[in-house]
Amino acid sequence: MAEEKNGIGTGFITEVDRYLYNNGKHYEIYEKLGAHKKNYKGEDGMYFAVWAPHAKQIGVVGDFNGWNPEKNPMTRLADSGIWEAFVPGLSIGALYKYAITSESGKILFKADPYAFEAEYRPQTASVTADLSSYVWNDASWMEKRKKQDPTDGPVSIYEVHLGSWKRKNREEKDGFYTYVEAAHELGDYVAGMGYTHVELLGIAEHPYDGSWGYQVTGYFAPTSRYGTPQEFMYFIDYLHQKGIGVILDWVPAHFPKDAHGLSDFDGQACYEYADPRKGEHPDWGTKVFDYGKYEVDNFLIANALYWVEKFHVDGLRVDAVASMLYLDYGRGNGEWVPNQNGGNENLEAIEFFRHLNSVIKKRGNGAIIIAEESTAWPKVTEEPENGGLGFTFKWNMGWMHDFLEYMKLDPYFRKYNHHKMTFGLTYFTSENYILVLSHDEVVHLKCSMIEKMPGLLEDKFANLKVGYTFMLGHPGKKLLFMGQDFGQFHEWDENTSLDWYLAEEPLGMELKNYVRDLLHLYKKYPALYEKDYDWEGFSWVNANDSERSIFSFIRHSSNGRNSLLFVLNFTPVERSDYRVGVPKKGTYSLVLDESQGLYHTGKKPPSYSAQAMKWDEKEYSIAFSLPAYGVRVFSF
């Protein structure tokens, strides 16, 4: 095709499309750019379109033309940086790339940034695909999602790396479970345990397993490691029918320098900042997206909407938000460029987040956006019109750090570090927090959760029980990485399966059943989630019993019914007649302890009548035996 001066081309990309895209507001641009099955001048084939503003010439190449850049040249649409071509006779399942001739004359073979499917690694071609054939069966889930406010509902997330959750003993495709196989086993496990959501690491296509999916080359392609895009749709559909939401890790912060990826896409800085002081992460060896370009912002925002709307994903957890917000992130003096005001804030990234979160909220589909933001940046979950970034939730990294530092201590020294467990309760209303014990905490010689715990084997499991109970009672939504709910011993390794046999051994099974009971308790009692970010939802009974390392507090329900009293002993010392103040006269029924777990329907739980004895600055109190590492949760 010759260059179209009037910008009409095949007519598939209109002048309105180009205007919206070049101004960062074409939220369905993935329906136009990329590879799409079309009929042109009476012939069926594939239509290709790509943004490459600095290219001298582009050809679509693949098996169908012997990878010859001259066989299927593309036409540049005027004033847009977009190139297009139609290849007659080509259908679904074809391998292809773009052969991009740069201004210097060098030919670059690039995968399609908007491809819906990618070749199985280590091969790097894009694959033509059609997403319209899948028939969804989750209409009731999607309708319910639109009406829910996730901030006052239960959110307990099971964080999963599909490639290492379970593996099969065979060589085919590295022994990975397919999306379909994983849907059934993972869906059944998560539903049985009582989690509300699954969060998946590394689903967008990536070349290197060791990146865990955080260095993406195919932003619109579910990784072919586990199957096809339609099979991934089935995975999400099945989990929805089991009552489980699906969250994806999403990486708009950076991308790798692989030759077939986005780096110097058309021979120059295209998706990244041109100045390496802004455009490269020195610590990670990756490129930084240029949030000052409308087309780049459009690529990312449309990508977020693509997962939410095309794949029915319930939320995105945005990785490495701090690296986007700070121009000096990971950089020393002289290695970064201040903003127009002389500060270190990336004003373009701030505007990008506000745009992204505003658009997703206005679409009204109920999707959540979670920030993994590791600093004290203010108003991360505040609305943009109030000066915030507009995220639904933020990972509480400060709580995680303090909690783990406390739990790793020998119990004798915990009394000197009591504040590590109470400090999080001074700021829990400042953001919509998620309490996280994520994959990052069980790799790189940090030890698994069970191996962080002090003492002999039985002590380790007892510590973890009381620690998880504290996490459950603390305001904020919850996230736990796979394997930590049954006491996985070795650190997470993306190349091997979890040690599932441990879940069948006595201590592992006991811990798994206890975590299951915690999760079911969480969903049963609204006091544990409906006022997560309200001072009225939490009150201390005794925050100062540091000498005995005992914490007692109340989670209040909105209607005053079925509030919960937590009493937690973080030492191996039994307190045979422990007394705790209670807010009112009445009966306090034990609903969970460290040995029984959850007192299920049909088994009458022990109950205690409040006595008119002042304790903990309260008019009434109850007394009971509190064992070593004891847990007592009462409803009243």
Side-chain angles (χ1 to χ4, degrees):
M1 300 178 188
E3 180 169 343
E4 293 286 351
K5 298 296 185 183
N6 59 8
I8 295 175
T10 62
F12 293 140
I13 292 182
T14 67
E15 187 175 346
V16 172
D17 289 327
R18 298 198 301 278
Y19 174 81
L20 290 173
Y21 176 61
N22 292 143
N23 285 276
K25 295 182 179 179
H26 197 318
Y27 303 128
E28 293 84 27
I29 191 61
Y30 54 83
E31 301 281 15
K32 298 288 185 169
L33 297 183
H36 302 277
K37 195 173 182 179
K38 299 285 186 181
N39 182 284
Y40 180 58
K41 294 184 177 180
E43 288 191 272
D44 290 330
M46 295 299 299
Y47 170 76
F48 297 90
V50 64
W51 179 64
H54 310 112
K56 188 175 181 181
Q57 181 57 53
I58 306 178
V60 183
V61 297
D63 288 338
F64 53 88
N65 64 11
W67 301 91
N68 186 335
E70 298 180 359
K71 287 287 184 68
N72 295 100
M74 304 187 80
T75 299
R76 181 172 183 140
L77 302 179
D79 303 323
S80 67
I82 295 174
W83 298 70
E84 67 170 1
F86 179 79
V87 181
L90 203 59
S91 190
I92 303 304
L95 302 179
Y96 73 100
K97 283 186 177 181
Y98 297 120
I100 301 175
T101 304
S102 69
E103 289 183 351
S104 68
K106 184 178 180 179
I107 298 180
L108 309 171
F109 290 87
K110 293 287 188 176
D112 186 351
Y114 287 86
F116 295 154
E117 189 171 354
E119 195 176 11
Y120 192 81
R121 62 104 173 89
Q123 306 305 317
T124 58
S126 299
V127 182
T128 57
D130 179 15
L131 304 183
S132 64
S133 60
Y134 186 79
V135 179
W136 290 89
N137 298 286
D138 64 346
S140 60
W141 171 276
M142 296 297 286
E143 192 60 32
K144 181 181 177 182
R145 190 178 84 181
K146 292 178 184 178
K147 300 174 182 177
Q148 291 179 328
D149 179 357
T151 61
D152 63 13
V155 177
S156 54
I157 302 168
Y158 185 63
E159 190 187 31
V160 178
H161 177 261
L162 273 188
S164 56
W165 184 69
K166 282 187 179 180
R167 284 201 180 186
K168 295 174 286 189
N169 294 321
R170 69 183 194 192
E171 293 301 318
E172 180 186 348
K173 286 202 168 184
D174 303 288
F176 292 136
Y177 271 57
T178 67
Y179 290 120
V180 174
E181 291 167 335
H184 290 266
E185 288 208 32
L186 178 61
D188 293 349
Y189 178 80
V190 170
M193 286 294 289
Y195 294 99
T196 64
H197 292 75
V198 164
E199 181 178 318
L200 299 177
L201 277 66
I203 288 302
E205 192 59 80
H206 51 284
Y208 176 48
D209 291 9
S211 77
W212 308 337
Y214 293 118
Q215 295 192 11
V216 180
T217 50
Y219 274 80
F220 288 82
T223 178
S224 56
R225 287 167 176 80
Y226 318 125
T228 67
Q230 289 83 357
E231 288 171 332
F232 185 50
M233 288 176 169
Y234 177 91
F235 175 93
I236 296 169
D237 200 0
Y238 183 84
L239 264 64
H240 283 175
Q241 292 171 64
K242 298 286 288 186
I244 304 298
V246 179
I247 299 167
L248 300 188
D249 278 5
W250 187 58
V251 193
H254 63 128
F255 54 89
K257 297 179 181 179
D258 294 70
H260 68 287
L262 298 178
S263 179
D264 293 321
F265 185 74
D266 54 10
Q268 299 183 39
C270 186
Y271 285 87
E272 66 268 47
Y273 286 109
D275 188 334
R277 294 175 297 172
K278 291 181 71 175
E280 295 195 23
H281 275 304
D283 291 343
W284 302 335
T286 54
K287 294 293 188 80
V288 181
F289 282 105
D290 183 347
Y291 311 106
K293 289 179 182 172
Y294 287 131
E295 294 87 352
V296 174
D297 287 352
N298 203 149
F299 170 79
L300 292 170
I301 293 173
N303 183 243
L305 291 169
Y306 168 80
W307 293 113
V308 167
E309 297 179 355
K310 282 292 186 181
F311 283 83
H312 294 197
V313 163
D314 301 286
L316 300 172
R317 174 266 197 183
V318 184
D319 181 64
V321 168
S323 75
M324 300 170 65
L325 293 173
Y326 296 96
L327 293 166
D328 59 348
Y329 186 92
R331 300 176 176 90
N333 293 332
E335 296 176 345
W336 60 281
V337 182
N339 63 33
Q340 63 193 36
N341 303 318
N344 67 341
E345 306 91 353
N346 188 330
L347 303 178
E348 294 162 345
I350 294 170
E351 184 56 36
F352 164 75
F353 281 134
R354 289 172 174 168
H355 187 184
L356 166 74
N357 291 320
S358 296
V359 168
I360 289 177
K361 185 173 182 179
K362 287 177 182 177
R363 303 286 272 213
N365 50 44
I368 61 176
I369 307 295
I370 304 165
E372 189 240 342
E373 203 285 309
S374 55
T375 74
W377 187 280
K379 298 185 177 182
V380 172
T381 56
E382 182 62 80
E383 297 295 339
E385 53 265 32
N386 297 328
L389 298 181
F391 285 93
T392 319
F393 297 113
K394 171 182 172 172
W395 275 20
N396 194 336
M397 310 294 277
W399 173 88
M400 176 274 298
H401 180 268
D402 290 343
F403 174 80
L404 291 179
E405 287 300 305
Y406 181 88
M407 292 304 300
K408 288 187 289 187
L409 291 170
D410 183 294
Y412 177 81
F413 295 104
R414 285 176 175 167
K415 59 187 174 185
Y416 305 114
N417 292 269
H418 202 72
H419 64 283
K420 290 186 183 298
M421 297 290 266
T422 60
F423 181 60
L425 279 308
T426 66
Y427 63 84
F428 75 90
T429 63
S430 62
E431 299 278 6
N432 297 339
Y433 284 116
I434 298 177
L435 309 184
V436 295
L437 296 174
S438 75
H439 67 280
D440 276 329
E441 310 319 314
V442 293
V443 291
H444 302 323
L445 303 180
K446 295 177 185 175
C447 299
S448 66
M449 284 300 299
I450 197 69
E451 289 286 37
K452 293 181 196 294
M453 300 298 108
L456 300 175
L457 189 62
E458 290 79 4
D459 295 316
K460 289 178 179 292
F461 279 90
N463 269 281
L464 212 47
K465 277 186 178 182
V466 68
Y468 285 161
T469 311
F470 182 87
M471 178 183 182
L472 180 94
H474 192 295
K477 311 311 180 186
K478 325 296 177 189
L479 178 144
L480 189 62
F481 184 56
M482 64 182 195
Q484 311 316 307
D485 51 6
F486 64 75
Q488 172 80 15
F489 277 100
H490 71 68
E491 288 188 333
W492 172 51
D493 179 354
E494 75 276 2
N495 295 309
T496 61
S497 172
L498 296 180
D499 293 328
W500 283 100
Y501 71 89
L502 293 172
E504 302 302 320
E505 295 188 351
L507 287 173
M509 181 180 293
E510 184 180 321
L511 177 62
K512 180 171 74 73
N513 291 341
Y514 185 79
V515 172
R516 178 201 63 199
D517 286 357
L518 286 178
L519 293 168
H520 284 277
L521 179 77
Y522 174 67
K523 291 200 293 186
K524 181 178 179 180
Y525 287 91
L528 292 173
Y529 56 76
E530 64 184 3
K531 285 180 169 289
D532 268 329
Y533 314 113
D534 188 332
W535 286 110
E536 295 182 358
F538 176 90
S539 63
W540 283 110
V541 174
N542 190 340
N544 301 310
D545 195 354
S546 58
E547 189 63 31
R548 293 184 291 186
S549 296
I550 295 174
F551 301 86
S552 52
F553 56 86
I554 294 171
R555 293 300 306 274
H556 300 276
S557 63
S558 57
N559 61 11
R561 298 178 181 177
N562 291 322
S563 294
L564 295 175
L565 166 65
F566 285 73
V567 184
L568 307 175
N569 180 6
F570 280 86
T571 72
V573 180
E574 179 184 5
R575 309 295 175 179
S576 59
D577 190 26
Y578 189 80
R579 183 168 291 277
V580 62
V582 293
K584 60 192 293 186
K585 186 178 180 180
T587 300
Y588 291 75
S589 299
L590 187 64
V591 294
L592 181 135
D593 65 32
E594 79 291 337
S595 59
Q596 168 70 28
L598 188 62
Y599 283 85
H600 296 281
T601 303
K603 184 172 182 178
K604 187 176 180 181
S607 59
Y608 301 81
S609 296
Q611 299 173 306
M613 182 183 295
K614 289 186 178 181
W615 209 266
D616 295 327
E617 301 181 358
K618 292 179 168 47
E619 295 297 319
Y620 297 91
S621 61
I622 59 175
F624 47 85
S625 175
L626 186 61
Y629 300 118
V631 169
R632 294 292 182 266
V633 180
F634 303 90
S635 70
F636 66 95

PDB file of all heavy atoms in Angstrom, residues 405-420:
ATOM      1  N   GLU A 405       9.200  -8.285  61.950  1.00  0.00           N
ATOM      2  CA  GLU A 405      10.300  -8.056  62.882  1.00  0.00           C
ATOM      3  C   GLU A 405       9.925  -8.535  64.282  1.00  0.00           C
ATOM      4  O   GLU A 405      10.748  -9.118  64.998  1.00  0.00           O
ATOM      5  CB  GLU A 405      10.666  -6.565  62.910  1.00  0.00           C
ATOM      6  CG  GLU A 405      11.389  -6.083  61.661  1.00  0.00           C
ATOM      7  CD  GLU A 405      12.700  -6.813  61.438  1.00  0.00           C
ATOM      8  OE1 GLU A 405      13.540  -6.814  62.359  1.00  0.00           O
ATOM      9  OE2 GLU A 405      12.878  -7.402  60.347  1.00  0.00           O
ATOM     10  N   TYR A 406       8.694  -8.321  64.671  1.00  0.00           N
ATOM     11  CA  TYR A 406       8.226  -8.771  65.980  1.00  0.00           C
ATOM     12  C   TYR A 406       8.135 -10.287  66.035  1.00  0.00           C
ATOM     13  O   TYR A 406       8.609 -10.920  66.997  1.00  0.00           O
ATOM     14  CB  TYR A 406       6.859  -8.154  66.277  1.00  0.00           C
ATOM     15  CG  TYR A 406       6.279  -8.540  67.629  1.00  0.00           C
ATOM     16  CD1 TYR A 406       6.585  -7.805  68.769  1.00  0.00           C
ATOM     17  CD2 TYR A 406       5.422  -9.627  67.761  1.00  0.00           C
ATOM     18  CE1 TYR A 406       6.054  -8.147  70.009  1.00  0.00           C
ATOM     19  CE2 TYR A 406       4.892  -9.985  68.995  1.00  0.00           C
ATOM     20  CZ  TYR A 406       5.211  -9.234  70.109  1.00  0.00           C
ATOM     21  OH  TYR A 406       4.692  -9.589  71.339  1.00  0.00           O
ATOM     22  N   MET A 407       7.552 -10.889  65.018  1.00  0.00           N
ATOM     23  CA  MET A 407       7.326 -12.337  65.035  1.00  0.00           C
ATOM     24  C   MET A 407       8.629 -13.121  65.018  1.00  0.00           C
ATOM     25  O   MET A 407       8.703 -14.238  65.530  1.00  0.00           O
ATOM     26  CB  MET A 407       6.453 -12.746  63.854  1.00  0.00           C
ATOM     27  CG  MET A 407       5.019 -12.244  63.916  1.00  0.00           C
ATOM     28  SD  MET A 407       4.132 -12.728  65.413  1.00  0.00           S
ATOM     29  CE  MET A 407       4.196 -14.523  65.303  1.00  0.00           C
ATOM     30  N   LYS A 408       9.678 -12.577  64.434  1.00  0.00           N
ATOM     31  CA  LYS A 408      10.965 -13.282  64.360  1.00  0.00           C
ATOM     32  C   LYS A 408      11.714 -13.294  65.697  1.00  0.00           C
ATOM     33  O   LYS A 408      12.639 -14.070  65.881  1.00  0.00           O
ATOM     34  CB  LYS A 408      11.843 -12.648  63.269  1.00  0.00           C
ATOM     35  CG  LYS A 408      11.371 -12.951  61.857  1.00  0.00           C
ATOM     36  CD  LYS A 408      12.335 -12.461  60.801  1.00  0.00           C
ATOM     37  CE  LYS A 408      12.349 -10.974  60.670  1.00  0.00           C
ATOM     38  NZ  LYS A 408      13.168 -10.497  59.521  1.00  0.00           N
ATOM     39  N   LEU A 409      11.296 -12.443  66.625  1.00  0.00           N
ATOM     40  CA  LEU A 409      11.995 -12.328  67.899  1.00  0.00           C
ATOM     41  C   LEU A 409      11.775 -13.541  68.790  1.00  0.00           C
ATOM     42  O   LEU A 409      10.687 -14.139  68.794  1.00  0.00           O
ATOM     43  CB  LEU A 409      11.510 -11.078  68.642  1.00  0.00           C
ATOM     44  CG  LEU A 409      11.899  -9.716  68.065  1.00  0.00           C
ATOM     45  CD1 LEU A 409      11.130  -8.629  68.784  1.00  0.00           C
ATOM     46  CD2 LEU A 409      13.412  -9.505  68.201  1.00  0.00           C
ATOM     47  N   ASP A 410      12.791 -13.880  69.569  1.00  0.00           N
ATOM     48  CA  ASP A 410      12.585 -14.811  70.675  1.00  0.00           C
ATOM     49  C   ASP A 410      11.518 -14.195  71.585  1.00  0.00           C
ATOM     50  O   ASP A 410      11.562 -12.987  71.883  1.00  0.00           O
ATOM     51  CB  ASP A 410      13.896 -14.982  71.437  1.00  0.00           C
ATOM     52  CG  ASP A 410      13.778 -15.990  72.564  1.00  0.00           C
ATOM     53  OD1 ASP A 410      13.041 -15.719  73.537  1.00  0.00           O
ATOM     54  OD2 ASP A 410      14.444 -17.039  72.485  1.00  0.00           O
ATOM     55  N   PRO A 411      10.532 -14.990  72.030  1.00  0.00           N
ATOM     56  CA  PRO A 411       9.447 -14.430  72.842  1.00  0.00           C
ATOM     57  C   PRO A 411       9.909 -13.625  74.048  1.00  0.00           C
ATOM     58  O   PRO A 411       9.223 -12.689  74.464  1.00  0.00           O
ATOM     59  CB  PRO A 411       8.655 -15.675  73.267  1.00  0.00           C
ATOM     60  CG  PRO A 411       8.891 -16.649  72.180  1.00  0.00           C
ATOM     61  CD  PRO A 411      10.303 -16.414  71.713  1.00  0.00           C
ATOM     62  N   TYR A 412      11.075 -13.959  74.596  1.00  0.00           N
ATOM     63  CA  TYR A 412      11.574 -13.199  75.760  1.00  0.00           C
ATOM     64  C   TYR A 412      11.776 -11.727  75.415  1.00  0.00           C
ATOM     65  O   TYR A 412      11.546 -10.838  76.254  1.00  0.00           O
ATOM     66  CB  TYR A 412      12.895 -13.797  76.255  1.00  0.00           C
ATOM     67  CG  TYR A 412      13.488 -13.020  77.399  1.00  0.00           C
ATOM     68  CD1 TYR A 412      13.028 -13.208  78.706  1.00  0.00           C
ATOM     69  CD2 TYR A 412      14.491 -12.076  77.175  1.00  0.00           C
ATOM     70  CE1 TYR A 412      13.557 -12.462  79.760  1.00  0.00           C
ATOM     71  CE2 TYR A 412      15.024 -11.335  78.224  1.00  0.00           C
ATOM     72  CZ  TYR A 412      14.551 -11.539  79.510  1.00  0.00           C
ATOM     73  OH  TYR A 412      15.074 -10.795  80.557  1.00  0.00           O
ATOM     74  N   PHE A 413      12.187 -11.443  74.178  1.00  0.00           N
ATOM     75  CA  PHE A 413      12.511 -10.070  73.788  1.00  0.00           C
ATOM     76  C   PHE A 413      11.312  -9.313  73.204  1.00  0.00           C
ATOM     77  O   PHE A 413      11.427  -8.126  72.908  1.00  0.00           O
ATOM     78  CB  PHE A 413      13.650 -10.070  72.771  1.00  0.00           C
ATOM     79  CG  PHE A 413      14.946 -10.597  73.335  1.00  0.00           C
ATOM     80  CD1 PHE A 413      15.384 -11.871  73.016  1.00  0.00           C
ATOM     81  CD2 PHE A 413      15.701  -9.826  74.196  1.00  0.00           C
ATOM     82  CE1 PHE A 413      16.564 -12.368  73.544  1.00  0.00           C
ATOM     83  CE2 PHE A 413      16.889 -10.312  74.729  1.00  0.00           C
ATOM     84  CZ  PHE A 413      17.322 -11.592  74.412  1.00  0.00           C
ATOM     85  N   ARG A 414      10.190  -9.979  73.078  1.00  0.00           N
ATOM     86  CA  ARG A 414       9.029  -9.308  72.496  1.00  0.00           C
ATOM     87  C   ARG A 414       8.503  -8.185  73.391  1.00  0.00           C
ATOM     88  O   ARG A 414       7.972  -7.182  72.888  1.00  0.00           O
ATOM     89  CB  ARG A 414       7.926 -10.337  72.205  1.00  0.00           C
ATOM     90  CG  ARG A 414       8.243 -11.192  70.982  1.00  0.00           C
ATOM     91  CD  ARG A 414       7.224 -12.281  70.736  1.00  0.00           C
ATOM     92  NE  ARG A 414       7.538 -12.981  69.477  1.00  0.00           N
ATOM     93  CZ  ARG A 414       6.990 -14.127  69.107  1.00  0.00           C
ATOM     94  NH1 ARG A 414       6.091 -14.721  69.885  1.00  0.00           N
ATOM     95  NH2 ARG A 414       7.336 -14.682  67.966  1.00  0.00           N
ATOM     96  N   LYS A 415       8.653  -8.344  74.691  1.00  0.00           N
ATOM     97  CA  LYS A 415       8.149  -7.306  75.600  1.00  0.00           C
ATOM     98  C   LYS A 415       8.857  -5.975  75.372  1.00  0.00           C
ATOM     99  O   LYS A 415       8.317  -4.910  75.706  1.00  0.00           O
ATOM    100  CB  LYS A 415       8.292  -7.756  77.043  1.00  0.00           C
ATOM    101  CG  LYS A 415       9.710  -8.068  77.492  1.00  0.00           C
ATOM    102  CD  LYS A 415       9.698  -8.671  78.898  1.00  0.00           C
ATOM    103  CE  LYS A 415      11.092  -9.123  79.330  1.00  0.00           C
ATOM    104  NZ  LYS A 415      11.047  -9.810  80.650  1.00  0.00           N
ATOM    105  N   TYR A 416      10.068  -6.023  74.822  1.00  0.00           N
ATOM    106  CA  TYR A 416      10.810  -4.793  74.536  1.00  0.00           C
ATOM    107  C   TYR A 416      10.466  -4.210  73.156  1.00  0.00           C
ATOM    108  O   TYR A 416      10.966  -3.144  72.796  1.00  0.00           O
ATOM    109  CB  TYR A 416      12.314  -5.045  74.610  1.00  0.00           C
ATOM    110  CG  TYR A 416      12.768  -5.651  75.921  1.00  0.00           C
ATOM    111  CD1 TYR A 416      13.285  -6.943  75.956  1.00  0.00           C
ATOM    112  CD2 TYR A 416      12.648  -4.931  77.108  1.00  0.00           C
ATOM    113  CE1 TYR A 416      13.689  -7.504  77.172  1.00  0.00           C
ATOM    114  CE2 TYR A 416      13.056  -5.491  78.316  1.00  0.00           C
ATOM    115  CZ  TYR A 416      13.572  -6.784  78.347  1.00  0.00           C
ATOM    116  OH  TYR A 416      13.972  -7.341  79.542  1.00  0.00           O
ATOM    117  N   ASN A 417       9.650  -4.925  72.430  1.00  0.00           N
ATOM    118  CA  ASN A 417       9.288  -4.494  71.067  1.00  0.00           C
ATOM    119  C   ASN A 417       7.772  -4.473  70.862  1.00  0.00           C
ATOM    120  O   ASN A 417       7.277  -4.591  69.750  1.00  0.00           O
ATOM    121  CB  ASN A 417       9.927  -5.442  70.047  1.00  0.00           C
ATOM    122  CG  ASN A 417      11.432  -5.327  70.014  1.00  0.00           C
ATOM    123  OD1 ASN A 417      11.979  -4.542  69.245  1.00  0.00           O
ATOM    124  ND2 ASN A 417      12.110  -6.112  70.842  1.00  0.00           N
ATOM    125  N   HIS A 418       7.064  -4.312  71.982  1.00  0.00           N
ATOM    126  CA  HIS A 418       5.600  -4.333  71.958  1.00  0.00           C
ATOM    127  C   HIS A 418       5.021  -3.325  70.966  1.00  0.00           C
ATOM    128  O   HIS A 418       4.012  -3.577  70.302  1.00  0.00           O
ATOM    129  CB  HIS A 418       5.090  -4.026  73.372  1.00  0.00           C
ATOM    130  CG  HIS A 418       3.703  -4.483  73.661  1.00  0.00           C
ATOM    131  ND1 HIS A 418       3.346  -5.808  73.832  1.00  0.00           N
ATOM    132  CD2 HIS A 418       2.555  -3.777  73.825  1.00  0.00           C
ATOM    133  CE1 HIS A 418       2.064  -5.907  74.092  1.00  0.00           C
ATOM    134  NE2 HIS A 418       1.557  -4.685  74.087  1.00  0.00           N
ATOM    135  N   HIS A 419       5.696  -2.198  70.827  1.00  0.00           N
ATOM    136  CA  HIS A 419       5.207  -1.116  69.969  1.00  0.00           C
ATOM    137  C   HIS A 419       5.140  -1.508  68.503  1.00  0.00           C
ATOM    138  O   HIS A 419       4.392  -0.904  67.728  1.00  0.00           O
ATOM    139  CB  HIS A 419       6.106   0.116  70.125  1.00  0.00           C
ATOM    140  CG  HIS A 419       7.511  -0.108  69.660  1.00  0.00           C
ATOM    141  ND1 HIS A 419       8.451  -0.813  70.412  1.00  0.00           N
ATOM    142  CD2 HIS A 419       8.141   0.241  68.511  1.00  0.00           C
ATOM    143  CE1 HIS A 419       9.578  -0.868  69.752  1.00  0.00           C
ATOM    144  NE2 HIS A 419       9.435  -0.245  68.594  1.00  0.00           N
ATOM    145  N   LYS A 420       5.944  -2.498  68.107  1.00  0.00           N
ATOM    146  CA  LYS A 420       5.915  -2.897  66.699  1.00  0.00           C
ATOM    147  C   LYS A 420       4.536  -3.426  66.300  1.00  0.00           C
ATOM    148  O   LYS A 420       4.131  -3.312  65.144  1.00  0.00           O
ATOM    149  CB  LYS A 420       6.982  -3.955  66.421  1.00  0.00           C
ATOM    150  CG  LYS A 420       8.417  -3.437  66.480  1.00  0.00           C
ATOM    151  CD  LYS A 420       9.414  -4.491  66.056  1.00  0.00           C
ATOM    152  CE  LYS A 420      10.848  -3.995  66.194  1.00  0.00           C
ATOM    153  NZ  LYS A 420      11.140  -2.825  65.340  1.00  0.00           N
TER     154      LYS A 420
END
